[in-house]
Amino acid sequence: MNPPFTTRPEMRGSFGVAASTHWIASAVAMRMLELGGNAFDGAVAGGLALQVLEPHLCGPGGEVPILLWNEAASECKVICGQGVAPQAATIAHFRAMGLHMVPGTGLLSATVPGAFDAWMLLLRDHGSLPLRTVLEPVIGYATRGVPLVPRIRQAIAAVKDLFLAEWPASAATYLPGGAVPGANHLLVNAGIAATYTRVLAEAEAAGSDRVRQIDAARNAWYRGFVAEAIGAYCRSTPSIDTTGERHRGLLDADDLARWQAAYDAPLLYAYAGVEVAKCGAWSQGPVLHQQLALLAGFDLARMGHNSAAFVHTLVEASKLAMADRDAWYGDPDFQDVPLADLLSTDYARERRALIGEASSTTLRAGAPGGRQPRLIDWESAQADVRRDRFFHGLGEPTFAELPAGNGVLNGDTCHIDVIDRFGNMVSATPSGGWLSSSPVIPGLGFALNTRGQMFTLEAGHPAALAPGKRPRTSLSPGMAFRDGLPWAVFGTPGGDNQDQWQVQLLVRLLHFGMNLQEAIDAPAWHSSHLIASFWPRRPQLNSLTLEGRFDAQVIAELRERGHAVTVGEPWSEGRLSAASREPAGAGRLLRAAANPRGMQGYAIGR
C-alpha cells in the first residue's frame, strides 16, 4: 500500500520547531529560539508579527486564547486573551436601537482587545528574552513593509469603496495612493510601528528590569495612550456598520483599564490513548471533546479513512456537538455550564444513538442532566439584515462590504505552534481586529475587533450579552498528552469549522497512523449545520462541503444518505498546523507540519 500523499515533508529536528499560518511568522518564532529564547518567546514574537503579516485575519485590536506547557513546572495552562463586553453594552441598549443582533461590523461589536495583554502575560511569566527583542520583528515589518499574499489584496479590494467613502484612516493605511496595492507591493503600517515603538519606549523608561518593563508596556496599552485613543475614537467618531447606520462605539478607556488577561485551567478529555486539552466553555473548545466522546463508540479504522461511512459519522457527531455548543456554552463566570454532564459517558451514549444511517436535517441540542436546551431565535434575528444596502457583513472575518460577483470572500484567522529543545510547548490562535470589519483608529494604525457579534440579545441564554462578559468565542487552540507527557500542539483558523478540522486531524493521527503532514494534507470537509457564530448567524442546515479530491463514489454515497453536498476546490478546507515531541527516552525528536492550502502556512525546525 502506498503511503498517503504529502505536499512537503514533515519537519523533524531536536533544537526547536515552529508552524504557523504564515511562513514569516514561523521564521520569526524560530529566530527567537536561535537567540537563546524559549517556545514562549517564539510564540509571542511570531504571534505579534502575524498582526502585520495577516492584517485581514488578526491585529493588535484582536484577541487570543493560548494553551501552554511549561516543562520546568510540569504544568499545562490556558491564558485567556478574550476581552469582555464594555460596561455600556447591555441588551436593553441594543434593543432600544431596534436590533435583534449585535452588528457584525463597525464599533458597536467591539470587546476589550485582549491579545496584547495575553501575549505580555505569557512573555513575562514564561519567556526569557527582553521585551525589545520580541517587539523588534513586528516593528520592523510594520516599518519596512510585508509582502502581500493574494488574500490580503482580495480583502482590501472588497472594502475599497467603503474605505474611501467612510473610513479614511483605513484608506490611508491600506490604499496607498488611493489604490489597492499591487501583488509585489510591500505593505507598510506606520501607525502600528509607531504604536509599538512608543509602547517599547515607555516600557524601557520604567527601568532595566525585564518584568517591570513588560508590566509598563501592559500599562501603556490598557491604562495609557492606547486605551485613551481607543476611548476617544469610540466617543467621537460614528462608524457605518451592518445596520446601514453610523454608530459610536461603546468601548471606553475605563473598560480597558479594568480588564487583564488571566490564567485558566485547561479542560481535559481522554480518548484513544491520549488526553486532549482545550479552553473552557467561554470558547468552543469543548466541542472537540464532545465529538470525541461520540466517536469513541465507533470503529473508525474499520470504516476506512475518508469512506462515506467515516465522513458521515464524523459529520453527524459534529452536528450534535455544535447544537450543544449553541444551546449551552457561554462565559462560566456568568452562568453554570453543565460540562460534566455534557462530557459524561451516559450522555454520550444517549446522544450517540441519534447517529443513524441518514443525514440529520434539524438542530438537535441535548438535555444534559435533564435540563432543557435553548437555541437562539436566529430566524427572527434576520430582520436586522438590510437588503437595501451593501453593508451586509458576512462570514469570518466579517466583511463590511461584500465583493462583486458571487458575494463570497472566505476568510478566517491565524494560528501558531512552537516547541523548543527544553520541551516547552505553545498553541495559540490569534484573531480579530480585521482590516475589513472595523475602521482603523487614527494614530494607532489598527482596527478594533468585532467579537461581540457572538453574543445573543436574548436574555437568559448562556451566550447572552452582559457588561464585563466574554463572548463565546470560536477560537480554539489544542494540545494533547500521551502517557501523561505532552505530545502535540495543534490548531487552525476557520471560525465554526476549527474543531471539525481538528477532530479530523486527531482521528487520522490516532486511528490511521499518519504523520502530521499526511494528516493535514488529507482531503477534508466541513458542515455549516449549526447556528453561525458570525453575523447574520444563519445556519445552513444539512450542509456538507467536501474538497474536490474526494472519490466520486464517496460523494455519491453521501448524497444517498441525504447530505446536501457541495464539492469545493481540491485544496480548500482548513489551515491546520501542528507540532509534536517524542518522550525524552526517544531523544526528544520534534516534529512540525503546516497547511499547504493557500500557499502561506509553513513549518520550520532543525
Side-chain angles (χ1 to χ4, degrees):
M1 180 176 178
N2 294 327
F5 169 80
T6 62
T7 57
R8 57 185 73 163
E10 178 187 68
M11 296 293 107
R12 301 182 184 186
S14 58
F15 177 79
V17 291
S20 80
T21 50
H22 197 289
W23 71 91
I24 293 178
S26 299
V28 166
M30 195 67 184
R31 168 67 173 161
M32 298 300 113
L33 302 186
E34 299 286 1
L35 291 174
N38 57 30
F40 312 117
D41 300 307
V44 174
L48 293 174
L50 283 167
Q51 296 173 355
V52 294
L53 295 169
E54 298 193 272
H56 57 315
L57 305 180
C58 79
E63 51 275 321
V64 60
I66 303 169
L67 270 166
L68 68 96
W69 170 262
N70 187 308
E71 181 74 5
S74 295
E75 189 171 35
C76 177
K77 288 184 176 181
V78 170
I79 295 180
C80 177
Q82 175 55 65
V84 300
Q87 290 300 302
T90 64
I91 292 175
H93 179 88
F94 285 92
R95 290 295 193 188
M97 298 169 64
L99 296 178
H100 298 80
M101 291 182 287
V102 177
T105 63
L107 298 176
L108 282 172
S109 52
T111 58
V112 172
F116 185 73
D117 206 53
W119 288 127
M120 291 300 101
L121 188 62
L122 177 64
L123 182 67
R124 186 194 71 179
D125 294 352
H126 305 280
S128 60
L129 293 176
L131 179 63
R132 173 174 287 274
T133 302
V134 298
L135 286 182
E136 280 177 345
V138 65
I139 293 172
Y141 281 112
T143 301
R144 296 187 298 272
V146 297
L148 290 172
V149 295
R151 285 193 176 183
I152 296 180
R153 298 186 66 245
Q154 293 169 6
I156 295 171
V159 287
K160 175 186 174 183
D161 292 343
L162 172 70
F163 282 5
L164 294 172
E166 297 282 350
W167 296 351
S170 296
T173 302
Y174 294 109
L175 295 171
V180 176
N184 296 317
H185 189 96
L186 288 175
L187 185 63
V188 169
N189 192 315
I192 288 180
T195 295
Y196 278 121
T197 298
R198 181 172 173 183
V199 166
L200 180 59
E202 293 194 16
E204 292 182 336
S208 60
D209 180 77
R210 177 180 175 276
V211 170
R212 184 174 296 175
Q213 285 187 2
I214 295 171
D215 283 339
R218 299 169 73 192
N219 191 61
W221 197 278
Y222 291 90
R223 285 160 290 280
F225 79 96
V226 175
E228 291 168 1
I230 290 172
Y233 187 79
C234 288
R235 284 194 309 272
S236 65
T237 312
S239 171
I240 199 83
D241 56 38
T242 50
T243 67
E245 309 292 338
R246 296 176 183 84
H247 295 107
R248 291 180 174 85
L250 302 177
L251 195 64
D252 64 25
D254 287 342
D255 292 312
L256 275 75
R258 63 168 54 96
W259 182 86
Q260 61 182 8
Y263 288 106
D264 197 3
L267 182 66
L268 300 171
Y269 188 80
Y271 173 83
V274 301
E275 195 169 32
V276 182
K278 278 285 181 173
C279 302
W282 52 269
S283 76
Q284 73 172 10
V287 159
L288 181 68
H289 294 344
Q290 287 199 252
Q291 291 174 91
L292 294 176
L294 293 168
L295 296 174
F298 295 95
D299 189 345
L300 299 178
R302 185 175 180 180
M303 291 179 186
H305 178 250
N306 277 7
S307 68
F310 174 83
V311 174
H312 169 78
T313 302
L314 266 67
V315 169
E316 294 302 300
S318 76
K319 290 178 181 179
L320 293 172
M322 284 296 190
D324 277 347
R325 179 201 73 171
D326 293 335
W328 296 109
Y329 293 14
D331 187 344
D333 291 343
F334 282 72
Q335 66 274 313
D336 178 29
V337 181
L339 281 177
D341 288 324
L342 288 168
L343 294 173
S344 70
T345 301
D346 289 344
Y347 184 73
R349 185 184 303 113
E350 172 191 328
R351 298 284 279 166
R352 191 181 301 123
L354 297 175
I355 300 177
E357 294 299 314
S359 171
S360 58
T361 58
T362 60
L363 300 173
R364 299 184 291 177
R371 304 169 183 85
Q372 291 307 301
R374 177 178 174 180
L375 296 171
I376 66 170
D377 183 4
W378 62 269
E379 292 179 290
S380 295
Q382 302 310 297
D384 286 5
V385 180
R386 293 288 300 272
R387 304 189 186 281
D388 59 331
R389 299 294 295 269
F390 60 83
F391 301 102
H392 291 325
L394 180 68
E396 187 235 358
T398 309
F399 280 80
E401 181 181 355
L402 299 184
N406 63 11
V408 175
L409 180 57
N410 292 325
D412 37 51
T413 183
C414 306
H415 186 78
I416 186 167
D417 300 301
V418 187
I419 306 178
D420 64 30
R421 65 190 184 279
F422 311 112
N424 300 306
M425 306 171 70
V426 181
S427 176
T429 309
S431 186
W434 305 312
L435 69 85
S436 55
S437 305
S438 191
V440 165
I441 299 173
L444 296 183
F446 61 83
L448 292 173
N449 66 82
T450 54
R451 192 64 57 175
Q453 68 186 287
M454 295 183 176
F455 285 116
T456 178
L457 298 180
E458 297 182 19
H461 189 278
L465 174 66
K469 185 177 183 179
R470 291 172 288 187
R472 194 275 305 144
T473 182
S474 59
L475 304 175
S476 186
M479 183 178 291
F481 298 80
R482 177 175 275 163
D483 300 325
L485 297 173
W487 166 52
V489 282
F490 50 88
T492 178
D496 294 321
N497 305 330
Q498 289 183 27
D499 286 296
Q500 297 184 58
W501 290 327
Q502 290 178 51
V503 162
Q504 294 169 45
L505 173 77
L506 285 173
V507 165
R508 288 167 180 145
L509 296 174
L510 298 174
H511 294 299
F512 295 94
M514 296 185 187
N515 70 30
L516 297 178
Q517 194 64 53
E518 291 167 345
I520 289 171
D521 282 0
W525 67 85
H526 80 272
S527 171
S528 297
H529 183 99
L530 45 85
I531 297 177
S533 295
F534 298 90
W535 197 94
R537 311 298 301 275
R538 188 182 298 127
Q540 299 175 40
L541 299 179
N542 198 32
S543 66
L544 174 58
T545 301
L546 300 168
E547 283 187 328
R549 292 180 288 143
F550 271 86
D551 184 83
Q553 183 59 39
V554 171
I555 295 171
E557 288 183 26
L558 289 166
R559 285 178 170 148
E560 289 173 4
R561 288 174 179 261
H563 295 278
V565 175
T566 298
V567 179
E569 293 298 317
W571 294 88
S572 55
E573 289 288 314
R575 290 178 71 202
L576 284 158
S577 69
S580 69
R581 53 172 261 196
E582 301 300 320
R588 189 157 286 167
L589 178 68
L590 307 179
R591 306 169 186 258
N595 170 58
R597 299 160 178 88
M599 296 184 290
Q600 275 183 235
Y602 267 89
I604 189 171
R606 71 168 179 85

